Amino acid sequence: MPRFTSRLFIRGVLFLGVVYFLIPIWWLLTASTKSSSELFSSPPLWFGEDFALLDNIVAVLTRQDGLFVRWMLNSLIYAGGGAIGATLLSAAAGYVFAKYSFPGKGALFGAILASILLPASLLVMPLYLLFSSLGMINTMWAVIIPSLVSPFGVFLARITAQESVPDDLLDAARIDGAGEIRIFSTIALPIMGPALLTVFLFSFVGIWNNFFLPMVTLNDAELWPAMLGLYFWGSQPSELNYHFVITGSLLSIIPLAIAFISLQKYWRVGLTAGAVKI
Amino acid sequence: MSKARPKARGIVSAAVSAAMLGSMLAGCAATAPEAENSELVFWGWNPAYEKVVDLWNSSHDQQVKFETTASGGDGGYTKMQAAVKAGNAPCLAQVGNESVPTLTVDGSLVDISEEIDQYRDGFPDSAWAAMGVGEGIYGVPVDIAPLALFYRADVYEKFGVTPATTWEQFAADSATVHAADPNVYLSSFAPAITYQIAGFVQQAGGTWYSSENDQWKVSMNGAETKDVAAYWQKMMDEDLTKVTDPETPEWFAAVQDGTIASYVAPVWWATVLEGAAAGSSGKWRVAPMPNIDDDTVSTGTAGGSATSVLTGCDDVQGAVDFANWMSTDDGALEILIEDAASFPAATNGTGLGSLSEPLEFYGGQKVYEVFAAAAPTINPNWQFGPANAETGSAYADAMKPVLDGTRTMVEGLDVAQASLVDALTTKGLSVTE
């Protein structure tokens, strides 16, 4: 039964993949229940003797007058706001690249594709100098504005618009007298929805984990995102902060988990199947 | 899978957008130019500095504003360098001793040798030695980090040894203990970790760098360093020390169950150990680190930090006045000792009240008195170099083969020296050997 064995093999490989991805999460869960001294003396992938999870959570939430709560809120603002903006900009740009022709289109798109290859941290110093001359250092804008630009998002949106938004549909709308902006926002945008969700999630996770840019541009601890705050706690010398950092990390992945789990039901393909012949 | 309720989502998104709007407005307000009170801005990562600054502000007209950065090597220095480039750097910055030359070479720090002149007598020579590059002084010492021997009194007693006063004796004791119980080592050693050996080399009177008239002399394979390397090579060859990276979870487990019975570490490590090895409370003591011989008492360091003035500051004297106050004022020092386990560099700081308290974790020993006695014996000959990252990686890369026995540490030093000189030359620094 070759078919049976191949299925078994595939399931085995997938199962290994699941284990591989879940072990760090499991470790984070168990480590969050230990006090800082127990971290070193108990088995790494199992619970310690005392169950200190609640103490740890309280310690994280109350440390430095509840700064962690502020950091989480900042992260939500940066990642939420930045990802919504990045998604809308990418959608508009991708749609334009897919559906319009204008001089220099190829070169422009090439430039956008090329910028995917630039490591983000390479741009941090020039961005710093730029924002410094604009007087925007140590403001939320210094983090939000650069995160609005997502070359990968533009690429994905262009492919989506090409594949899933039929030209006939747009022509029909034009004959009915709709303007270009309206066609984009009421017809193209909903059709591109599922792919845009992917762009949104990618941007959200990217900004959530963004670290170097906020570190360089934000001087005020009140403005830091959670990642930077946790990193700061972890890097403080002469103090053992492991349990703060670990429990804080556990708390900080909750919003990401919620974002993924709640948005996955919108991931549908073939949304436009039959759209033209309604 | 959970179905997200539309209502809840609406509330969440409304909350997020409200929060966004609020902070955007706040952000706009923050971009307004600051009022014309020339307050000095101070960047650092020591959590106790905030309190120190509050204390200063409550009693001085010149106000200081403390802003927290990630710690230096973890991005704080990058941030300072960027701010200096952009011309909006703060006046004051916390800088680790090891990074003073690095930041000096790239033009981030101001030479404060004139402004500091009136305060010179408040600190020992070894503290100033760490602040100097060429003829200039680039920081006000805050804390020093003399090394001492942290040891497990119970294990020592069990095997009938006392803290060695010489390295020779230390090796002999290691042999005694390890012969009595093959599971127990008196110490651990990591050949590819820089800071451990750097402190030993400093104690021995060696240095990896010296600077004269804009020239850096590099001597990672100098005589003193080779002596130290040969000693530890012998310890590893004879299985008298456990070859392992320190301060990993396994290592902390080993010091707690007494299979690694001592560790040479700096003063600020006293609180680290207390936090990480709570299970062995009361069993630890501190003794002076072993010496080359009984006649020359000398101590190495690991750490120590300064307050430096960043390029572009328009009130250098004011900044230096604050920095000196922070390093010498009794109230400020008490905060630094209590909250950050800093050991004051200032000569008037070593006798402060809280440094003579008995500590429960160390069986009631007044451990800071051991460090206070060691402080004047810190060897001032050691100097940090102009490129920390390169120094660390040259040493570590050259020493990795030591772990599998394909190279001795002494051979490794020559390799490290050659690659370090290359790296510095590539950076455009003028070096001699």
Side-chain angles (χ1 to χ4, degrees):
Chain A
M1 298 260 293
R3 202 158 145 238
F4 174 75
T5 43
S6 77
R7 188 187 293 172
L8 199 68
F9 174 75
I10 287 169
R11 293 221 171 148
V13 169
L14 287 175
F15 177 76
L16 283 179
V18 167
V19 170
Y20 176 81
F21 284 113
L22 286 181
I23 278 186
I25 307 281
W26 174 247
W27 177 83
L28 192 62
L29 269 172
T30 55
S32 300
T33 66
K34 298 170 187 176
S35 60
S36 71
S37 59
E38 269 227 312
L39 271 175
F40 298 110
S41 54
S42 57
L45 289 174
W46 200 245
F47 299 93
E49 283 166 27
D50 329 325
F51 190 80
L53 178 61
L54 287 178
D55 299 345
N56 285 345
I57 290 178
V58 169
V60 165
L61 295 183
T62 54
R63 191 166 189 209
Q64 293 186 299
D65 309 326
L67 200 54
F68 182 77
V69 180
R70 178 73 213 242
W71 289 341
M72 288 291 281
L73 194 68
N74 291 343
S75 274
L76 281 175
I77 294 165
Y78 293 135
I84 289 170
T87 308
L88 290 176
L89 273 177
S90 303
Y95 173 78
V96 167
F97 276 119
K99 296 296 172 191
Y100 296 88
S101 60
F102 50 92
K105 174 173 155 178
L108 198 57
F109 192 68
I112 291 176
L113 275 191
S115 66
I116 294 182
L117 302 175
L118 283 181
S121 50
L122 194 72
L123 300 173
V124 166
M125 281 302 148
L127 279 174
Y128 180 91
L129 297 175
L130 184 72
F131 282 114
S132 172
S133 57
L134 293 172
M136 285 188 183
I137 290 298
N138 203 27
T139 65
M140 287 200 155
W141 297 111
V143 177
I144 290 178
I145 292 175
S147 63
L148 293 177
V149 182
S150 164
F152 171 74
V154 174
F155 173 73
L156 201 68
R158 178 187 181 167
I159 303 288
T160 311
Q162 259 166 352
E163 298 297 320
S164 63
V165 182
D167 286 340
D168 300 359
L169 195 62
L170 303 184
D171 290 341
R174 287 187 185 114
I175 288 165
D176 290 343
E180 295 301 325
I181 301 278
R182 186 171 165 200
I183 293 175
F184 168 70
S185 57
T186 58
I187 298 173
L189 210 52
I191 296 175
M192 292 161 75
L196 293 183
L197 196 66
T198 311
V199 174
F200 174 84
L201 281 170
F202 263 97
S203 302
F204 190 90
V205 174
I207 301 167
W208 187 272
N209 292 329
N210 189 357
F211 164 78
F212 194 47
L213 181 75
M215 184 185 83
V216 174
T217 53
L218 302 175
N219 305 335
D220 220 331
E222 296 272 300
L223 295 174
W224 287 355
M227 287 298 138
L228 186 55
L230 288 174
Y231 179 80
F232 169 68
W233 279 356
S235 76
Q236 278 185 325
S238 81
E239 223 188 313
L240 276 174
N241 297 322
Y242 295 122
H243 61 297
F244 287 117
V245 179
I246 288 167
T247 312
S249 305
L250 181 72
L251 295 178
S252 78
I253 59 174
I254 292 172
L256 286 183
I258 290 175
F260 269 87
I261 291 168
S262 62
L263 290 174
Q264 68 173 6
K265 68 173 195 178
Y266 298 102
W267 259 316
R268 287 200 216 101
V269 285
L271 199 70
T272 57
V276 180
K277 293 179 181 169
I278 284 173
Chain B
M1 278 298 143
S2 65
K3 284 194 180 171
R5 293 193 309 280
K7 211 183 247 178
R9 272 213 320 281
I11 290 167
V12 169
S13 63
V16 169
S17 37
M20 271 182 70
L21 202 64
S23 47
M24 297 264 179
L25 294 172
C28 287
T31 55
E34 288 185 9
E36 267 68 58
N37 65 337
S38 58
E39 64 173 8
L40 295 166
V41 178
F42 181 12
W43 281 1
W45 53 89
N46 185 326
Y49 282 13
E50 185 101 49
K51 268 198 205 172
V52 173
V53 167
D54 289 346
L55 181 67
W56 162 275
N57 286 341
S58 65
S59 54
H60 293 78
D61 291 339
Q62 168 70 65
Q63 296 292 287
V64 174
K65 180 165 182 261
F66 182 71
E67 288 177 340
T68 305
T69 64
S71 74
D74 294 329
Y77 299 138
T78 311
K79 199 174 151 90
M80 290 170 195
Q81 289 162 325
V84 166
K85 270 202 195 78
N88 56 12
C91 259
L92 292 151
Q94 175 181 0
V95 179
N97 287 1
E98 78 296 330
S99 300
V100 169
T102 305
L103 289 172
T104 300
V105 164
D106 79 8
S108 300
L109 306 185
V110 178
D111 178 2
I112 53 171
S113 40
E114 280 177 29
E115 289 80 0
I116 202 71
D117 218 28
Q118 52 184 312
Y119 302 127
R120 255 176 213 275
D121 297 344
F123 303 88
D125 285 348
S126 64
W128 288 121
M131 300 295 119
V133 179
E135 298 301 300
I137 296 285
Y138 293 92
V140 180
V142 177
D143 66 299
I144 49 175
L147 295 168
L149 182 78
F150 288 76
Y151 68 100
R152 284 283 297 264
D154 55 329
V155 180
Y156 267 59
E157 196 174 334
K158 182 177 163 190
F159 293 102
V161 289
T162 52
T165 53
T166 65
W167 284 113
E168 200 182 339
Q169 184 61 44
F170 187 80
D173 291 347
S174 301
T176 308
V177 168
H178 193 59
D181 184 346
N183 292 323
V184 179
Y185 290 90
L186 208 53
S187 62
S188 70
F189 186 74
I193 286 186
T194 318
Y195 66 84
Q196 219 179 352
I197 193 165
F200 297 151
V201 172
Q202 177 179 12
Q203 179 193 34
T207 183
W208 289 347
Y209 289 99
S210 43
S211 62
E212 279 156 18
N213 34 32
D214 293 343
Q215 277 257 325
W216 288 94
K217 185 169 182 290
V218 185
S219 49
M220 201 175 244
N221 56 354
E224 296 87 355
T225 310
K226 284 200 163 165
D227 288 348
V228 171
Y231 175 88
W232 285 102
Q233 184 68 50
K234 192 161 173 279
M235 293 285 280
M236 290 190 289
D237 290 345
E238 296 175 7
D239 192 29
L240 298 181
T241 187
K242 186 163 174 62
V243 182
T244 176
D245 285 356
E247 301 182 48
T248 61
E250 299 80 14
W251 186 89
F252 274 116
V255 297
Q256 288 199 82
D257 65 26
T259 49
I260 293 175
S262 73
Y263 186 51
V264 175
V267 56
W268 49 264
W269 205 73
T271 43
V272 174
L273 181 65
E274 197 169 335
S280 48
S281 177
K283 297 174 180 168
W284 289 91
R285 300 288 181 280
V286 178
M289 70 189 283
N291 263 286
I292 311 293
D293 58 59
D294 279 324
D295 303 331
T296 46
V297 176
S298 168
T299 302
T301 59
S305 72
T307 310
S308 294
V309 180
L310 293 181
T311 305
C313 177
D314 49 14
D315 183 11
V316 177
Q317 186 63 57
V320 168
D321 291 344
F322 165 80
N324 180 72
W325 173 90
M326 182 172 108
S327 295
T328 54
D329 178 80
D330 282 2
L333 289 175
E334 286 286 1
I335 295 172
L336 293 177
I337 295 164
E338 283 294 320
D339 287 20
S342 299
F343 191 79
T347 34
N348 70 315
T350 45
L352 284 174
S354 44
L355 285 176
S356 52
E357 277 171 15
L359 299 178
E360 205 180 314
F361 185 83
Y362 297 93
Q365 189 191 2
K366 298 173 178 175
V367 294
Y368 291 112
E369 292 184 347
V370 178
F371 292 101
T377 69
I378 290 174
N379 200 313
N381 194 38
W382 174 268
Q383 194 170 19
F384 286 106
N388 253 326
E390 287 80 358
T391 309
S393 55
Y395 179 85
D397 292 348
M399 290 301 173
K400 288 212 173 85
V402 172
L403 289 164
D404 55 27
T406 51
R407 184 183 283 171
T408 67
M409 286 187 70
V410 175
E411 291 164 354
L413 290 174
D414 291 329
V415 178
Q417 168 80 2
S419 65
L420 183 54
V421 169
D422 274 356
L424 295 176
T425 313
T426 311
K427 275 193 87 148
L429 290 159
S430 159
V431 295
T432 58
E433 290 193 57

